[in-house]
Amino acid sequence: MNDFNFRVGGAAGQGVQTIGYVLAKTLARGNLSIHLSQDYESRIRGGHNFTDIRVSEEPLYGSTERVDLLIALNGETLERHQAALSNKGVAIFDAESSGREVEKPYEFNVPFERIAVETAENKIFSNTVATGAALSLVGYDLDFLREVLIETFKVKSIKVAEDNIKAAEAGYRYVEKNFKGETALKLKPVNGQRRMLINGNEALSLGALAAGCKFMSGYPMTPSTGILQYLMDQHIIAEQGEDEIAAINMAIGAGFTGVRSMVATSGGGFSLMVEALGLSAMTETPIVIVVGQRPGPATGFPTRTAQSELEFVMHAAQGEFARAVLAPRDAEDVFYLISKAFNIAERYQIPVIVLTDQFLADSYWTIPPFDFSAIQIDRGALLTEAEAEKIKDYARYRFTESGISPRALPGYKDVLVVADSDEHTEQGHITESADIRVKMVDKRVWKTRGLEKEFTPISYGPEDAKTVLLGWGSTYGAIREAVDRLNQKRIGVRMVHLNAIWPFPAEAVQDALEGSEKRVIVEGNATAQLARVIRSETGVEMTVKILKYDGRPITADYVVRKFEEAAQ
Amino acid sequence: MTVTIEDYRGEETAWCPGCGNFGILSALKKALVELQIPPYEVLIVSGIGQAGKLPHYMKCNTFNGLHGRTLPVATAAKLVNNRLNIFAVGGDGDGYGEGGNHFMHTIRRNPNIKYLVHNNQIYALTKGQASPTSDIGFVTKTTPGGVTAKQLNPIALAITLGATFVARTFSGDIQHQVQMIKAAVQHRGFAYIDILQPCVTFNHLNTYGWYLKRIYKLENEHHNPSDLEAAYLKAKEWGDRIPIGIFYQNPQQQPTYEDQFPVIKEQPLVKQPIDPKQYEKLIQDFL
């Protein structure tokens, strides 16, 4: 693979994330493809965090385990990641401040702190020295870094931006002068259209805005907090509730009153929201619920990733009712998929759950600018005030062929909207009638019939391959790359991948699996949840399971390794 | 068009004969008619319990939600359409037990919604268990030896938290309730009314007679509702004498929650059109 992976590591509070982002942005400015992933602990200071910045001239879809250039902000980083260094891998660190000498041939000392103090009079600029040094090692143009540093730091002051540039230049020159070895790859800008560098949470937020989400409520919880924070600054109402129960009840109140509304949380917060999930279903109030998965149960691994909530969100809440579950692949997919989520929520008047995870939420991709004109808004059976006024004796839950009742809003002149969490009549009033109960249950359970026809699994790789790697959600990039690599090794495999799981597109999945002999499920959980869903919905068994539930993302390296192990 | 009591006639009730809820229902309708607010401009968000059924027995926009969760729904509804007159209605179990956290934080937010708590000091829908406002020693099905936990004082709690309008009324006194509800509607901000309500079936301690013997009107004793300290002292009074009326109303107009969102200054959120292209320029931040 013609790609290069930087790894920046250090303690929380040392600026790992800033270096990672600045480096990624600088490389993206040269129209290179980036994938940035973040590994961090649940603490504000200390511990060990790292960010991977993978870069290539070719499109990148996921991360890699191999490290070509390690930027170690402390001695611990060297110890932890040296084994991951590639053949021509280089590790840079500050021997003076880390109190550790150069010990291995691949280690190279750059006195980050001393250079920072000498050029910008403050060791706080050590990180930027390191960034400059790293770019020098791969021979990358310094002008892009200058540009990015100005943009990043001018909000603090011009002086801070200039000091950063001085520090970067000094780090860059130090390497030019003193480094005699070579790195695995030199990186240079390529021609092309400038692309966005954006993470999953940001892309989801932009998608929600484009889809007309006007109300968002949440309660801070990793990995979804970024969505609430991003939307707080926009021209909508974003509200931090006193707890997740308040958050979702607010979003339902907003949906009932007539705007597109959303909550974002993780598994623990969703657990608190479950009763209200049923409220959304019972009152037929559209709502979008983003569940950013992380390893549970209980507090689990607060800052890490998992795909362990699929069956939970499919079955959460008492009673039986229709819902939809979507699982975006990456930052590009989530932008478009979230608008679909809002459309489905309103067309069917149901809760729609969007399953992301920490890997998707925090990872950055370089992608073409989003096409806002491609966003279609479909508000389903929502009545205008004029339309509603014409209806004699309007009833919110009117029985219809489709099971979907025309929806008026409170405040429409001379129209009354009555919604109830109790079993209710067409008018929305409490009832104890057995007959009405049966009709209402049928309405709520079956109204999404046919929706699964809109869900098409993605197929990738040689069509005639008898071996299929099957996955869902954020594993898309890893599986896709694994398919490429296995085919390069002349192992014929193809991928079938789902970004919409419920209602389950059984026919489409069956078609996609047609002719397959070996079916390998790839999931970020311990029990192969999607495999179980596929078996129950289609009768088709997965023959091999590649699972990962250590809190770390699934990479192509992992899939290839496990695939080969299983084949032996 | 004149709004009449007929406009608010709702479904047949399922309350026990003699229930205190009837008085509250009559008073609320009467207040709305006196204020000439048409039903389509009213939204009642109710919880679960006998009180939560109230909007079904009226005729207006209704969201009968989950137990304890009226206030978040009502707050959001107000943010989305600030032209609606929004009431949250629930009982003491709903509001002070299950929903206590929302009570606390809604007071902090001060949305322009009205909160009516039917306080009968017992769980009635579930047939007779202690509530947060049950008197010490009160024997119920879940407190066979009598209630031991100290009675919640929601009036004092609300005042302490900085509520801008705090009142108590009695379901046996329609005129007083109408007066309180009208004052609450006219208050710009979160207006909270605790309504003492006998439960004729399960609470044989706090009966009509019990309340009538004890309650007195604050206005008859020259209470000044803008005096915070006096309000707090009155709130602590519970025993031989129980005050009803407006304990506290902040004399300075406080910003409502809705006031603090610039996006709804010009137009209610619900009236704002959806335009995907509106946000296209945000792409620049990521290039």
Side-chain angles (χ1 to χ4, degrees):
Chain A
M1 295 289 283
N2 185 21
D3 69 290
F4 190 90
N5 194 37
F6 295 85
R7 179 167 294 171
V8 192
Q14 276 196 302
V16 169
Q17 288 185 346
T18 311
I19 298 184
Y21 182 75
V22 167
L23 208 49
K25 190 90 177 170
T26 302
L27 295 162
R29 282 293 160 85
N31 300 319
L32 294 168
S33 290
I34 306 293
H35 182 275
L36 180 153
S37 61
Q38 306 192 53
D39 183 298
Y40 58 100
E41 296 181 359
S42 183
R43 59 196 291 172
I44 308 301
R45 291 283 183 270
H48 179 73
N49 292 355
F50 68 91
T51 293
D52 275 6
I53 307 100
R54 189 180 185 194
V55 52
S56 174
E57 289 183 10
E58 307 299 321
L60 283 176
Y61 299 95
S63 53
T64 182
E65 294 170 1
R66 181 199 78 239
V67 177
D68 298 303
L69 174 49
L70 180 65
I71 303 164
L73 300 181
N74 57 15
E76 185 187 356
T77 305
L78 284 176
E79 306 307 328
R80 278 181 181 249
H81 300 287
Q82 56 186 358
L85 278 172
S86 59
N87 285 341
K88 285 189 173 176
V90 173
I92 59 171
F93 72 109
D94 182 346
E96 293 168 20
S97 72
S98 64
R100 183 189 182 284
E101 290 306 307
V102 171
E103 288 168 7
K104 307 273 170 54
Y106 54 77
E107 293 176 355
F108 178 61
N109 169 33
V110 181
F112 303 143
E113 271 193 30
R114 181 157 55 82
I115 295 172
V117 172
E118 280 171 10
T119 55
E121 291 163 11
N122 195 331
K123 67 176 185 181
I124 200 165
F125 297 103
S126 302
N127 291 337
T128 309
V129 174
T131 311
L135 287 173
S136 182
L137 280 164
V138 292
Y140 193 75
D141 195 332
L142 191 57
D143 283 341
F144 288 113
L145 179 58
R146 290 193 185 98
E147 189 179 298
V148 171
L149 287 172
I150 289 173
E151 285 169 25
T152 310
F153 293 106
K154 73 178 177 200
V155 284
K156 292 189 177 169
S157 77
I158 292 298
K159 168 97 168 69
V160 171
E162 284 170 351
D163 284 344
N164 269 290
I165 290 173
K166 278 191 229 161
E169 287 169 345
Y172 198 92
R173 279 195 305 269
Y174 182 90
V175 168
E176 269 184 334
K177 208 169 130 194
N178 298 293
F179 183 72
K180 305 295 180 216
E182 59 173 322
T183 51
L185 206 64
K186 292 291 176 197
L187 297 173
K188 56 178 188 304
V190 293
N191 289 328
Q193 285 290 325
R194 192 182 276 190
R195 281 171 296 171
M196 309 170 74
L197 178 69
I198 192 166
N199 71 29
N201 273 348
E202 291 164 344
L204 187 150
S205 305
L206 280 190
L209 290 171
C213 174
K214 304 271 187 208
F215 189 98
M216 191 266 171
S217 43
Y219 182 88
M221 187 170 191
T222 306
S224 296
T225 312
I227 299 168
L228 180 63
Q229 288 179 178
Y230 186 83
L231 293 174
M232 281 280 172
D233 288 336
Q234 305 305 326
H235 203 62
I236 67 166
I237 289 184
E239 170 65 14
Q240 180 177 334
E242 53 270 29
D243 53 34
E244 283 89 348
I245 299 173
I248 189 167
N249 277 280
M250 283 181 177
I252 290 171
F256 170 74
T257 314
V259 297
R260 291 189 155 191
S261 68
M262 171 172 91
V263 292
T265 184
S266 185
F270 181 71
S271 297
L272 294 182
M273 293 182 176
V274 165
E275 190 188 20
L277 171 75
L279 176 68
S280 156
M282 190 59 157
T283 59
E284 306 198 40
T285 305
I287 180 181
V288 172
I289 303 168
V290 177
V291 180
Q293 299 167 100
R294 69 189 216 191
T299 311
F301 258 159
T303 58
R304 302 196 179 277
T305 200
Q307 289 189 305
S308 48
E309 316 304 2
L310 176 61
E311 289 181 307
F312 176 34
V313 302
M314 279 172 54
H315 301 292
Q318 71 273 28
E320 296 164 294
F321 55 88
R323 73 189 83 193
V325 179
L326 308 180
R329 297 188 287 265
D330 53 28
E332 184 169 25
D333 188 41
V334 72
F335 174 81
Y336 299 100
L337 200 63
I338 196 87
S339 66
K340 189 163 183 151
F342 279 102
N343 285 345
I344 292 170
E346 284 207 302
R347 276 166 51 207
Y348 296 98
Q349 304 174 6
I350 56 167
V352 176
I353 296 149
V354 178
L355 272 180
T356 70
D357 53 45
Q358 182 267 332
F359 175 72
L360 170 55
D362 289 336
S363 289
Y364 288 76
W365 284 262
T366 36
I367 43 186
F370 294 136
D371 182 3
F372 281 68
S373 61
I375 301 301
Q376 306 276 332
I377 308 292
D378 181 353
R379 304 204 65 183
L382 180 64
L383 300 167
T384 63
E385 187 161 3
E387 287 167 344
E389 264 184 88
K390 280 185 218 141
I391 299 173
K392 198 173 171 304
D393 300 327
Y394 172 76
R396 171 65 188 89
Y397 303 108
R398 184 70 73 203
F399 292 123
T400 62
E401 189 114 327
S402 63
I404 296 154
S405 314
R407 181 169 153 242
L409 300 178
Y412 282 1
K413 190 156 188 301
D414 295 331
V415 176
L416 298 179
V417 186
V418 180
D420 195 357
S421 69
D422 290 90
E423 191 53 270
H424 43 256
T425 59
E426 287 180 277
Q427 289 70 27
H429 289 296
I430 300 178
T431 183
E432 299 283 349
S433 156
D435 291 344
I436 294 177
R437 163 73 185 170
V438 170
K439 287 176 85 172
M440 282 292 172
V441 171
D442 287 343
K443 177 185 197 301
R444 289 188 297 264
V445 168
W446 301 115
K447 63 183 172 174
T448 50
R449 217 177 342 217
L451 171 58
E452 70 280 356
K453 293 203 169 57
E454 295 176 28
F455 299 164
T456 327
I458 281 202
S459 287
Y460 177 77
E463 275 173 35
D464 56 351
K466 299 281 183 224
T467 300
V468 177
L469 294 179
L470 206 138
W472 59 281
S474 75
T475 56
Y476 170 78
I479 301 176
R480 182 186 164 124
E481 186 181 330
V483 164
D484 286 340
R485 279 160 58 177
L486 290 167
N487 279 294
Q488 277 161 17
K489 295 181 180 190
R490 308 208 173 281
I491 303 166
V493 297
R494 60 190 173 93
M495 170 176 76
V496 173
H497 200 269
L498 278 78
N499 69 350
I501 301 174
W502 198 260
F504 192 76
E507 271 181 43
V509 169
Q510 262 168 327
D511 288 351
L513 293 176
E514 189 74 43
S516 62
E517 284 164 10
K518 183 171 171 183
R519 290 173 294 276
V520 184
I521 190 83
V522 181
E523 293 191 65
N525 57 54
T527 56
Q529 297 186 18
L530 182 67
R532 207 149 47 227
V533 176
I534 294 172
R535 190 175 56 200
S536 79
E537 296 298 316
T538 67
V540 178
E541 285 274 359
M542 297 293 115
T543 57
V544 179
K545 289 169 186 157
I546 295 181
L547 305 173
K548 197 167 195 282
Y549 44 94
D550 59 359
R552 275 68 180 175
I554 289 176
T555 60
D557 306 301
Y558 182 82
V559 176
V560 169
R561 195 163 63 241
K562 290 290 164 187
F563 182 89
E564 288 175 342
E565 279 171 23
Q568 276 165 11
Chain B
M1 276 254 293
T2 318
V3 179
T4 69
I5 210 87
E6 268 308 296
D7 296 326
Y8 279 103
R9 179 194 289 276
E11 305 270 297
E12 191 138 333
T13 65
W15 290 325
C16 309
C19 178
N21 280 321
F22 289 106
I24 302 173
L25 178 63
S26 303
L28 180 56
K29 289 185 194 173
K30 209 159 180 273
L32 291 168
V33 170
E34 287 184 20
L35 291 163
Q36 284 295 295
I37 300 174
Y40 74 87
E41 289 180 5
V42 174
L43 168 62
I44 298 184
V45 179
S46 71
I48 298 300
Q50 296 294 3
K53 297 177 182 172
L54 177 125
H56 294 287
Y57 310 144
M58 302 199 27
K59 209 179 200 175
C60 60
N61 294 295
T62 297
F63 190 92
N64 183 1
L66 296 173
H67 188 48
R69 314 301 169 198
T70 56
L71 291 172
V73 173
T75 300
K78 189 70 185 176
L79 289 171
V80 170
N81 189 351
N82 49 16
R83 292 178 187 167
L84 288 169
N85 287 285
I86 299 181
F87 294 83
V89 176
D92 40 328
D94 189 279
Y96 305 146
E98 192 89 13
N101 198 24
H102 310 309
F103 183 48
M104 190 157 91
H105 293 281
T106 306
I107 289 172
R108 290 176 51 227
R109 293 188 179 99
N110 194 37
N112 189 9
I113 61 176
K114 317 301 148 194
Y115 185 34
L116 311 182
V117 182
H118 302 207
N119 181 2
N120 57 8
Q121 304 182 254
I122 190 120
Y123 283 69
L125 187 63
T126 49
K127 303 191 176 178
Q129 301 81 26
S131 101
T133 50
S134 295
D135 287 301
I136 289 239
F138 183 44
V139 175
T140 73
K141 288 172 184 164
T142 49
T143 54
V147 172
T148 52
K150 212 170 160 196
Q151 184 184 32
L152 181 82
N153 184 334
I155 300 282
L157 178 68
I159 293 170
T160 309
L161 289 170
T164 54
F165 181 103
V166 181
R168 181 191 284 142
T169 182
F170 173 53
S171 76
D173 186 340
I174 303 277
Q175 216 32 57
H176 189 262
Q177 288 181 86
V178 170
Q179 189 195 333
M180 291 299 109
I181 293 168
K182 283 169 71 180
V185 171
Q186 280 151 359
H187 174 76
R188 195 171 177 280
F190 184 62
Y192 154 61
I193 308 175
D194 183 66
I195 307 174
L196 298 176
Q197 175 217 352
C199 171
V200 294
T201 308
F202 296 109
N203 189 337
H204 300 300
L205 172 67
N206 312 102
T207 59
Y208 279 99
W210 189 91
Y211 285 120
L212 281 171
K213 225 182 327 178
R214 289 167 171 79
I215 54 175
Y216 72 92
K217 289 179 180 151
L218 285 165
E219 62 188 52
N220 294 343
E221 303 207 354
H222 310 292
H223 172 65
N224 174 6
S226 62
D227 183 340
L228 184 64
E229 281 175 41
Y232 186 73
L233 289 176
K234 285 293 178 194
K236 297 294 280 182
E237 205 176 340
W238 181 273
D240 292 342
R241 301 190 81 219
I242 298 174
I244 61 170
I246 301 173
F247 286 77
Y248 182 68
Q249 184 170 17
N250 195 316
Q252 264 96 46
Q253 174 61 52
Q254 300 298 306
T256 67
Y257 203 50
E258 311 85 84
D259 288 343
Q260 318 205 26
F261 290 90
V263 61
I264 51 173
K265 278 250 148 47
E266 308 280 315
Q267 208 181 20
L269 206 59
V270 69
K271 300 267 184 198
Q272 298 181 20
I274 292 177
D275 174 17
K277 302 279 270 184
Q278 184 188 350
Y279 294 101
E280 197 166 21
K281 58 183 186 300
L282 291 173
I283 286 177
Q284 296 306 324
D285 300 340
F286 300 96
L287 288 173

